[in-house]
Amino acid sequence: MAHQPDASTRFGLPWRFPRIGRASVQQVARREPAGPLQWRDRVHSRLVVCAALFAFWTAGIEARLVYLQVVNHADLTARAERQQTRTVVPPAKRGEIFDRHGRLLAYSVDADTIAADPSEIEDPDSVATSICNVLDGCTTDRRADMAKKLRRRGAFVYVARQVSPAEARKVKDLSLPGITLLKESRRYYPKAELASHVLGYVGLDNVGLGGIESAYDSQIRGKDGKVLIQTDAKRHALFSRVERPATAGADIELTIDQYLQYIAERELRAGVAENHAAGGTAMIMDPGTGEILALANWPTFNPNAFTRADDDARRNRAIQDLYEPGSTFKIVTASAALENHVITPETPIETSPGFITFGPRIIHDTHQYGLLSFTDVIVKSSNVGAIKVGLRLGPQLLGQYVDRFGFGQTLAPDFRGETPGIVWSPDRLDASALASVSMGYQVGVTPLQMATAVSSIANGGHLIEPRVVRAILKDGKRAEVAHKVLRNTISSETAATLTTIMEQVVERGTAKAAQIPGYTIAGKTGTAAKLVNGRYQKSDYNASFVGFIPSRKPALTILVVIDSPHGNGYTGGAVSAPVFKRIAEAALTYLGIGPTLNAPPPVLIARHDATDAPPPITRTSTRSIVAAAEPATSGLMPDLRGLSARDALRVLSRIGLTARMNGDGFVISQAPEPGAVLVSGDTCDLRLGRRPPVGLDAGGAQE
């Protein structure tokens, strides 16, 4: 039998079919119909599973897309905006502040601020430690606060505001991720403490927090700008767009004179120190305009580092502190009495036995004066005399003049936080309370109110709004602040009479320490026990003096209040009057205001074409004063022409007349005319010139 080749060999296959028996063939034949069906089922089931998984996967993706594009769209857009763009707010430059002569008192400089994006910081503690290590005086608490800020959720936080240039360079050299440096505007006061209570101070957010910086913040601050910066993935700027440019604020010109402010602060500080006092206030005001030339408080502070000062140092005592003015308030009582003809300067008032009682209450005088004229009641500052005049006035009339002079009201629009004071309603004043008000107790005033009231007497009876802002400068234009007369307080005649009385307070009364050779000064002292826990203290007083100079042509009103002196005395005459004198002397020299009594003749320059030499000026002797007053013995007006202002005042004082003067130098004309009939209590108008009238000698007699 021929050999049959194997099937694998025939088809050239490298393998062979296995040999199987018959039984095996039958088994294979039985399984062949079922094999393909099971394979298809398995493939189908797997495809179904895969399709289901794919469907679920697709649905999940679509759900996620719906969530991201619809539900969370706003949040993602905002996050993308923050990542792709940055908004920089260029701070507005605050306007500058000048004194009345254009000398710079406050301006703004650039300062570096450390800021962070917390979303880019992985280890807040480590970053906070690195920054703290390069900052001067960084404490453990401050480092913990930094770390707390860096853990916040958000795109921006301040880490340290307005650091020094050296600190900014050190932080920049660290190259910390998420940390950046921003430029901010910082307020700088080149004169440090000078006029700090007037200027105020500015917080970290470029907002005024006190003084003029606060009262005029909306004008000084300007408006911040807005710049949008497009960045790439590495936060590098691609381009920027200015949405709103920053606009600078207005400049402020103050009424303050830098030199007078320095004088007031220097002398007040010396006065507080030498009297071992708790503090004090000094003010210089122009009585004709209401402009405040200087306002000083002690203690004071440096506005460049205002956070290091306590509240007591930052408090503006001139407008916030209330004190009982004591005898300085007697000028209100005197004004009401003179204006309403309740008394005259010569009216006798009995002050014996040196005290007055109201039930169990006893009010004493310093000395037992006996019978005094009303002029001497003010000159000697008799409480009993002032009380008796106040009782004649009554509560309604006295209350009317308290209101007229501005007490119990805010007066200055340039200051925020001004205290209106404490004034009792006239309906609530019984005899005892009326007595207290008449001598300056049971009424709370501010130094600003007292200076404004006395300025009203100095300018002839006009209450002028006190101002510390002189002009506002914006866009090259200067808008001056107008002077505002609030009301009339007294007539010019009453003001002149009261001025004469106040002059004698300085000349022979309680304020002799305020005298300045060559100048007439009108003023009033005040000494008031401080009220503590409802009881008046016997060791703590407010000592004050207020006056104007030169009294006949006032240029300055000066007030000094010393709180709780414990040195060489406690009265206004012993404590505050010397401070007034030192301030006034320096101010008069600085302003070039010459003497008003026996003033030296002006320097004359000879002209070559002059034919007549000017008549010589001779000083008036005491004998000529007596001779000039002789006609008054017959009830006739004496001839005052040719007398100096001081000698004319002496003559008028001898015959019981008051004077109203215009000009300076010697009397060149008068009304009433010489030889007119004298009327007791009348006022004599005198016109003054630099030289006596031709044809008259120094005594006023015809040659």
Side-chain angles (χ1 to χ4, degrees):
M1 182 175 177
H3 175 71
Q4 295 292 331
D6 188 76
S8 61
T9 304
R10 187 187 311 166
F11 294 101
L13 299 175
W15 49 271
R16 296 182 180 181
F17 290 110
R19 294 182 179 273
I20 57 176
R22 185 179 300 271
S24 298
V25 173
Q26 291 176 351
Q27 291 175 357
V28 172
R30 284 196 299 268
R31 282 199 297 265
E32 282 181 356
L37 292 177
Q38 290 181 348
W39 179 80
R40 290 189 182 92
D41 291 339
R42 283 197 295 271
V43 171
H44 181 268
S45 61
R46 290 175 180 174
L47 289 175
V48 170
V49 172
C50 290
L53 293 175
F54 183 76
F56 282 122
W57 180 65
T58 304
I61 292 177
E62 291 179 351
R64 180 63 176 168
L65 290 175
V66 169
Y67 175 77
L68 295 176
Q69 295 292 335
V70 178
V71 178
N72 208 27
H73 178 268
D75 180 61
L76 291 176
T77 302
R79 290 176 62 183
E81 191 78 17
R82 290 195 299 267
Q83 292 175 358
Q84 298 169 6
T85 61
R86 283 191 298 149
T87 299
V88 177
V89 180
K93 181 182 178 182
R94 290 183 70 88
E96 297 173 338
I97 301 179
F98 306 90
D99 83 336
R100 65 188 299 111
H101 298 298
R103 291 172 286 208
L104 196 59
L105 298 178
Y107 63 95
S108 296
V109 296
D110 287 337
D112 290 296
T113 286
I114 306 171
D117 184 351
S119 63
E120 299 182 9
I121 297 176
E122 296 180 358
D123 189 352
D125 292 322
S126 176
V127 172
T129 301
S130 299
I131 295 175
C132 192
N133 288 338
V134 299
L135 296 182
D136 296 334
C138 186
T139 63
T140 304
D141 292 339
R142 188 179 181 188
R143 183 179 64 217
D145 183 62
M146 289 182 189
K148 182 179 179 181
K149 291 179 179 179
L150 297 177
R151 292 191 191 95
R152 293 177 184 173
R153 305 180 92 185
F156 178 85
V157 293
Y158 286 115
V159 179
R161 304 286 295 273
Q162 299 179 3
V163 299
S164 67
E167 292 173 329
R169 285 193 298 270
K170 293 177 182 178
V171 171
K172 185 177 180 181
D173 293 340
L174 294 176
S175 300
L176 298 172
I179 300 297
T180 185
L181 292 175
L182 303 177
K183 288 292 184 182
E184 285 193 301
S185 181
R186 178 181 180 180
R187 205 60 165 166
Y188 180 65
Y189 303 90
K191 309 299 181 183
E193 292 89 355
L194 189 78
S196 58
H197 293 98
V198 175
L199 297 173
Y201 45 93
V202 176
L204 292 176
D205 294 320
N206 207 31
V207 177
L209 300 178
I212 292 301
E213 297 279 24
S214 174
Y216 285 80
D217 184 66
S218 59
Q219 287 126 305
I220 299 176
R221 189 181 358 168
K223 295 182 179 179
D224 294 338
K226 184 178 180 181
V227 178
L228 297 180
I229 301 176
Q230 192 76 27
T231 60
D232 60 14
K234 294 184 178 181
R235 308 289 287 175
H236 296 154
L238 299 177
F239 65 89
S240 62
R241 180 175 75 252
V242 178
E243 293 285 310
R244 182 179 64 249
T247 56
D251 296 334
I252 301 294
E253 180 183 305
L254 301 180
T255 62
I256 296 293
D257 185 294
Q258 176 180 295
Y259 180 76
L260 293 180
Q261 179 69 32
Y262 166 74
I263 292 300
E265 292 186 6
R266 181 189 69 186
E267 299 304 334
L268 176 65
R269 182 170 61 250
V272 170
E274 69 189 11
N275 288 285
H276 308 289
T281 296
M283 291 182 61
I284 306 176
M285 180 183 289
D286 184 338
T289 63
E291 293 184 348
I292 298 173
L293 304 178
L295 189 157
N297 293 296
W298 186 264
T300 187
F301 71 103
N302 185 347
N304 292 307
F306 68 92
T307 56
R308 300 175 188 174
D310 56 26
D311 293 339
D312 183 58
R314 292 200 299 262
R315 189 175 74 253
N316 189 346
R317 292 169 174 258
I319 65 167
Q320 293 179 310
D321 274 15
L322 292 180
Y323 73 103
E324 289 179 298
S327 294
T328 55
F329 201 76
K330 290 174 183 174
I331 62 173
V332 179
T333 305
S335 296
L338 293 170
E339 182 78 1
N340 291 276
H341 307 291
V342 173
I343 48 93
T344 66
E346 295 78 23
T347 300
I349 298 175
E350 181 60 67
T351 65
S352 296
F355 62 88
I356 189 170
T357 61
F358 295 90
R361 184 184 180 200
I362 303 176
I363 301 175
H364 292 272
D365 266 340
T366 306
H367 301 90
Q368 184 173 338
Y369 298 114
L371 185 65
L372 296 175
S373 67
F374 178 69
T375 295
D376 284 340
V377 167
I378 302 300
V379 170
K380 298 180 182 298
S381 200
S382 168
N383 291 333
V384 174
I387 289 171
K388 288 187 174 182
V389 173
L391 294 175
R392 293 188 192 182
L393 287 170
Q396 296 297 332
L397 191 54
L398 181 57
Q400 178 184 343
Y401 280 83
V402 170
D403 181 72
R404 278 192 188 183
F405 277 99
F407 298 105
Q409 309 156 37
T410 57
L411 299 175
D414 295 335
F415 293 107
R416 287 185 176 176
E418 181 188 357
T419 303
I422 299 174
V423 173
W424 291 97
S425 170
D427 298 332
R428 301 180 60 185
L429 293 179
D430 57 15
S432 178
L434 179 60
S436 295
V437 174
S438 300
M439 63 177 184
Y441 277 85
Q442 291 193 28
V443 57
V445 307
T446 65
L448 178 66
Q449 290 174 339
M450 201 70 239
T452 304
V454 173
S455 291
S456 173
I457 297 171
N459 64 38
H462 307 294
L463 189 71
I464 301 179
E465 184 178 71
R467 299 301 301 255
V468 77
V469 172
R470 195 181 190 199
I472 300 176
L473 297 84
K474 180 71 173 178
D475 300 327
K477 298 179 181 179
R478 185 175 185 273
E480 289 197 11
V481 177
H483 306 139
K484 182 178 180 181
V485 177
L486 300 176
R487 67 185 73 91
N488 291 332
T489 53
I490 54 177
S491 66
S492 58
E493 291 77 11
T494 301
T497 302
L498 194 54
T499 296
T500 303
I501 296 174
M502 294 171 66
E503 286 175 343
Q504 296 183 55
V505 172
V506 178
E507 184 177 346
R508 60 184 181 88
T510 58
K512 293 179 181 178
Q515 293 177 359
I516 300 176
Y519 295 89
T520 56
I521 303 171
K524 187 70 188 78
T525 56
T527 307
K530 295 183 67 174
L531 187 65
V532 179
N533 298 324
R535 297 180 65 87
Y536 285 103
Q537 303 298 299
K538 295 183 179 180
S539 59
D540 288 329
Y541 295 83
N542 281 310
S544 61
F545 179 81
V546 59
F548 47 92
I549 184 172
S551 58
R552 297 293 166 159
K553 194 174 182 181
L556 303 171
T557 297
I558 303 175
L559 173 139
V560 177
V561 181
I562 303 296
D563 180 8
S564 304
H566 295 94
N568 301 322
Y570 63 90
T571 64
V575 174
S576 298
V579 180
F580 169 95
K581 177 181 178 179
R582 295 197 296 265
I583 294 175
E585 284 178 329
L588 292 170
T589 302
Y590 169 70
L591 296 174
I593 300 173
T596 56
L597 296 175
N598 297 322
V603 177
L604 301 178
I605 301 176
R607 294 178 56 183
H608 295 292
D609 58 348
T611 57
D612 297 325
I617 299 175
T618 58
R619 294 187 180 274
T620 307
S621 66
T622 306
R623 183 176 182 181
S624 65
I625 295 174
V626 175
E630 284 181 356
T633 58
S634 301
L636 301 178
M637 184 70 192
D639 189 354
L640 305 176
R641 294 173 298 170
L643 293 178
S644 68
R646 184 173 187 177
D647 292 334
L649 287 175
R650 287 179 177 175
V651 173
L652 292 175
S653 178
R654 283 174 177 268
I655 62 179
L657 297 183
T658 58
R660 183 167 52 225
M661 296 186 178
N662 183 18
D664 52 17
F666 295 84
V667 179
I668 59 176
S669 67
Q670 67 181 82
E673 295 291 334
V677 178
L678 283 176
V679 179
S680 180
D682 201 358
T683 299
C684 182
D685 291 320
L686 303 177
R687 189 160 67 89
L688 307 179
R690 283 295 183 182
R691 283 182 287 172
V694 177
L696 294 176
D697 63 11
Q702 296 268 352
E703 287 183 344

